[in-house]
Amino acid sequence: MTRDVFAIAALHPFTSILSNLGILLWMATASICAFAALCCWHRHKHRAARFFGCSALLSGYLLVDDFFMMHEHLLPDLGVPEKGVYALLGGAVLIYLWHFRGIIVRHRPLAFAVALGLLATSVGLDSISDPYLYRYGDWHFIMENAPKWMGIATWCSYYVAAAYDYVAPAPSIPPMTPADGAPPVAFPHKPAEVDMA
């Protein structure tokens, strides 16, 4: 349990490097969302805090599922079918989308849609890989894992940008002076008083 798996199996350190990078991106997403949730809660942005908190939980589950291959091995060994795991996860994602649709629509919805679409494509290819894609040999691994990895990367970038939008303070820009190239301020001319005596 304490030795590195590459040392135990005598594998090259670059074995499954894209899969390992995907795990790191899941972990980064979950951590960033948890941090953003705490910051938003402290600033009394409670709905945004709930959004990032649920996003951290969702990304954390996907991290654990991907790292321990839960839907492929651990949960089926406990009697939970793989399609049942997909159904529960899909239901949770739909509830998440409905509850936070306002935030998602306002903050880079295209990036979120691309990430979700790529991950859904990976799940779809995974579910049909046994009867159809194995005829392509090793290419079926690329066909399944390429959209998954791109989806994880896009998912992470979306939440990094969303967290920045909510957490980063507004920039404080000092007013420009004529020495900085700003035009001189023109004050309104006060008309001269006319002596009517």
Side-chain angles (χ1 to χ4, degrees), residues 88-122:
L88 290 174
L89 180 59
V93 171
L94 288 177
I95 294 173
Y96 170 87
L97 292 175
W98 176 257
H99 190 68
F100 298 111
R101 62 190 184 279
I103 294 178
I104 294 172
V105 168
R106 289 196 303 270
H107 291 274
R108 299 174 176 84
L110 180 60
F112 186 87
V114 169
L116 199 62
L118 287 169
L119 293 174
T121 300
S122 175

Side-chain angles (χ1 to χ4, degrees), residues 39-175:
C39 291
C40 289
W41 190 267
H42 180 71
R43 298 180 181 181
H44 304 289
K45 300 177 180 179
H46 294 159
R47 183 161 182 79
R50 288 192 293 270
F51 167 70
F52 285 112
C54 291
S55 302
L57 291 175
L58 178 59
S59 299
Y61 169 78
L62 294 173
L63 160 67
V64 173
D65 183 279
D66 198 8
F67 187 72
F68 293 106
M69 304 178 70
M70 292 183 63
H71 71 276
E72 296 171 311
H73 295 289
L74 292 184
L75 292 178
D77 291 344
L78 296 175
V80 182
E82 184 176 0
K83 291 184 178 180
V85 177
Y86 282 144
L88 290 174
L89 180 59
V93 171
L94 288 177
I95 294 173
Y96 170 87
L97 292 175
W98 176 257
H99 190 68
F100 298 111
R101 62 190 184 279
I103 294 178
I104 294 172
V105 168
R106 289 196 303 270
H107 291 274
R108 299 174 176 84
L110 180 60
F112 186 87
V114 169
L116 199 62
L118 287 169
L119 293 174
T121 300
S122 175
V123 171
L125 291 174
D126 184 32
S127 63
I128 66 172
S129 61
D130 289 337
Y132 299 107
L133 296 184
Y134 275 99
R135 69 182 66 178
Y136 297 104
D138 291 339
W139 282 100
H140 89 275
F141 293 109
I142 298 176
M143 296 169 65
E144 177 184 343
N145 292 317
K148 173 186 173 181
W149 198 89
M150 290 188 294
I152 297 173
T154 310
W155 181 272
C156 181
S157 64
Y158 169 80
Y159 284 104
V160 168
Y164 180 83
D165 289 341
Y166 275 98
V167 174
S172 177
I173 303 176

Side-chain angles (χ1 to χ4, degrees), residues 22-34 59 63 156 159-160:
I23 297 296
L24 293 177
L25 290 176
W26 283 132
M27 185 179 299
T29 306
S31 301
I32 290 170
C33 287
S59 299
L63 160 67
C156 181
Y159 284 104
V160 168

